[in-house]
Amino acid sequence: MRRVPVPAPRLAASLALFAAAPAAQAAAPVQATLATHWAGYVAVLWFAIAYLFVVAEEFTGLRKSQPVMLAAGAIWAVLAFASSRMGVPEAAHEAVRDYLLEYGELLLFLLAAMTYVNAMSERGLFEALRARLLRRGLGYRALFWTTGALAFCLSPLIDNLTTALVMCAVVLAVGREDTKFVALACINIVVAANAGGAFSPFGDITTLMVWQAGKVPFAAFFALFLPSLANWLVPALCMHAAVPRGAPPASDEVVRLKRGAGVIVALFAITVVLAVGFHQFLHLPPFLGMMTGLALLKLYGWHLARVATAQQKDDFAREGAPGDVDAFDSYEQVARAEWDTLLFFFGVIMCVGALGYCGYLAMLSTSFYGGLGATNANILVGLMSAILDNIPMMVAVLQMAPAMDTGQWLLVTFTAGVGGSLLSIGSAAGVALMGQAHGRYTFFSHLKWSWAVALGYAAGIGVHLLVNARYFTGT
């Protein structure tokens, strides 16, 4: 998952320092004017309309990337026209270029991560996990806690959305006929996946953005482990008594892992180490380490393809027909990346960046963080993310660039990451599970337990303020 008031992320500053200075000088008077200019009002209106379509995605069927991409192009066209009329025709161009560099860094990181997750899925790792859980013959309550614990533990590694989908598949396979169990288990999975993703830079888009922006060191994210654990355990304990007793019938299904599954997991671990190492020790953007790791996956895919071709020839010569040798195409896994999500990030970063270019984010930061104080403002960010989604909220906070210490940046990372659990529509995991468990996990079934999720939200904040006091320096 970076931002600053007038576009100047770390990568852009290092690559285009000479160009950024005059752009910033030119943008300052433009910002002061655009905030009360018709073009600024148009930008706000168009972004609001586009985001209404994003929120209504479930009802309209319009993919969320489409309205924000259209709005981004239209808004910047209007702002460029207005800037030109003000005598600074290059200001909008420089701003867009800087935000594009920022988006490119995020895109390449996520593309590598998504490709690895898709590769592990294609090799049967997640299906094997599902089948193994089914064979254990767990009761409904044991399954409730097992799927929640696995969601909490896996989401820091493979992201909260993928984790939630895998665990929901398990729940549906064993409890398809028990609507109450499915609803409670899905709520538990959404909360656990979002909470687990909050204490790892790889667990959520928001944590990734904060880490790549240099606001929080890699190791400091793990200080959110206890707050995240409290955020999950409190609502889980509240729901426990409502989970049905008894046990579903056990399954004897066995899923065979395809060739190279273990090696791909090992390569993914190496890729994570490379991303951290490039950032921590070489002071290079993390995406460069991720892309290096992606190259390793592609080389291994080339090896698997050669082995498959050789074995097919051998099978054909011996038996007269090619056998099943589990060929692997790394480019196919790249194509399977969630492009709607990746393009949605483009639209959001460009739209929110346009509001920053107009000066609205600077004004909002002054009234929001200056008026409420950092702690109250960061708690409110989490509550708002349940309705407005955590990604645009975090983009806005990073572009506001309020002066905060590590403790406050950790707080807003935590609240933005777990605040979406308050409503089923507040996070990608919740929206995805409403579709996967259609009719059993719904907006209202989640809303019934929102009070318990809110208790977990408050408990997590309290734990963070208590156990991570050393990160608060008063700035």
Side-chain angles (χ1 to χ4, degrees):
M1 296 151 172
R2 6 216 329 229
R3 322 298 122 218
V4 282
V6 179
R10 285 174 177 254
L11 183 59
S14 62
L15 295 179
L17 183 61
F18 179 77
Q25 293 172 1
V30 175
Q31 287 183 315
T33 304
L34 283 176
T36 55
H37 192 272
W38 66 265
Y41 298 146
V42 167
V44 173
L45 176 62
W46 284 357
F47 178 60
I49 293 173
Y51 205 76
L52 285 176
F53 278 102
V54 172
V55 173
E57 177 186 15
E58 182 184 359
F59 308 102
T60 64
L62 185 68
R63 302 296 291 271
K64 61 181 178 293
S65 62
Q66 296 166 355
V68 290
M69 288 177 65
L70 179 62
I75 289 171
W76 277 108
V78 169
L79 296 182
F81 174 78
S83 298
S84 180
R85 295 293 297 270
M86 294 176 189
V88 281
E90 293 300 316
H93 173 79
E94 294 294 339
V96 169
R97 185 170 64 178
D98 286 342
Y99 283 118
L100 180 61
L101 285 171
E102 185 177 357
Y103 169 70
E105 184 179 349
L106 176 64
L107 169 68
L108 293 176
F109 189 105
L110 290 175
L111 185 62
M114 287 179 174
T115 302
Y116 262 105
V117 171
N118 289 338
M120 289 187 284
S121 175
E122 190 273 340
R123 294 288 95 177
L125 281 160
F126 302 140
E127 276 298 299
L129 173 62
R130 180 189 63 81
R132 183 171 183 178
L133 285 174
L134 295 181
R135 290 198 305 271
R136 294 180 67 89
L138 300 174
Y140 286 123
R141 290 190 173 183
L143 194 62
F144 173 85
W145 284 101
T146 301
T147 53
L150 284 173
F152 184 82
C153 295
L154 287 176
S155 59
L157 302 174
I158 62 172
D159 83 66
N160 49 5
L161 176 57
T162 302
T163 299
L165 290 172
V166 172
M167 291 300 103
C168 184
V170 176
V171 167
L172 290 176
V174 299
R176 189 178 302 275
E177 304 304 324
D178 196 319
T179 302
K180 184 177 182 181
F181 165 72
V182 171
L184 290 169
C186 286
I187 297 169
N188 188 42
I189 289 169
V190 169
V191 174
N194 289 338
F199 70 86
S200 164
F202 298 90
D204 195 4
I205 303 298
T206 53
T207 56
L208 177 60
M209 289 191 293
V210 172
W211 178 46
Q212 290 200 145
K215 302 299 183 182
V216 177
F218 181 83
F221 282 98
F222 299 103
L224 291 175
F225 173 78
L226 289 178
S228 297
L229 186 62
N231 177 260
W232 165 53
L233 285 179
V234 169
L237 288 169
C238 291
M239 290 186 288
H240 172 80
V243 178
R245 296 182 181 273
S251 169
D252 57 358
E253 180 184 4
V254 176
V255 174
R256 180 184 67 87
L257 292 177
K258 293 183 180 180
R259 181 196 303 270
V263 176
I264 289 176
V265 173
L267 288 176
F268 181 58
I270 292 172
T271 299
V272 171
V273 172
L274 286 173
V276 176
F278 272 51
H279 186 64
Q280 296 294 113
F281 304 113
L282 301 179
H283 307 292
L284 291 169
F287 83 86
L288 195 56
M290 293 296 292
M291 293 302 291
T292 304
L294 180 59
L296 295 178
L297 176 64
K298 289 187 166 296
L299 287 172
Y300 185 63
W302 168 78
H303 167 72
L304 286 178
R306 284 173 57 89
V307 171
T309 301
Q311 187 169 334
Q312 282 178 338
K313 290 180 179 179
D314 182 64
D315 289 348
F316 189 87
R318 185 174 60 253
E319 303 174 12
D324 179 15
V325 292
D326 302 331
F328 178 78
D329 184 354
S330 62
Y331 288 96
E332 182 180 339
Q333 309 316 314
V334 174
R336 289 176 54 213
E338 183 50 62
W339 286 100
D340 180 54
T341 298
L342 295 175
L343 294 175
F344 171 70
F345 296 151
F346 166 80
V348 167
I349 288 175
M350 287 297 178
C351 285
V352 176
L355 300 184
Y357 179 77
C358 294
Y360 292 124
L361 294 184
M363 295 166 58
L364 184 60
S365 179
T366 300
S367 59
F368 200 56
Y369 281 91
L372 297 175
T375 299
N376 292 330
N378 289 333
I379 292 173
L380 187 58
V381 165
L383 297 176
M384 293 172 64
S385 70
I387 301 173
L388 300 178
D389 192 84
N390 59 351
I391 294 169
M393 291 301 300
M394 185 56 74
V395 170
V397 170
L398 286 168
Q399 290 185 3
M400 288 180 200
M404 299 192 298
D405 54 31
T406 301
Q408 291 293 350
W409 279 111
L410 284 171
L411 177 61
V412 74
T413 300
F414 172 77
T415 57
V418 305
S421 301
L422 291 164
L423 297 174
S424 62
I425 61 171
S427 67
V431 173
L433 264 58
M434 281 196 296
Q436 192 176 15
H438 182 70
R440 283 156 286 189
Y441 171 62
T442 65
F443 175 84
F444 291 104
S445 66
H446 191 112
L447 186 65
K448 180 180 177 181
W449 291 96
S450 289
W451 63 269
V453 181
L455 288 178
Y457 182 75
I461 293 171
V463 171
H464 173 60
L465 296 176
L466 180 64
V467 303
N468 294 325
R470 64 189 183 281
Y471 289 105
F472 292 87
T473 61
T475 59

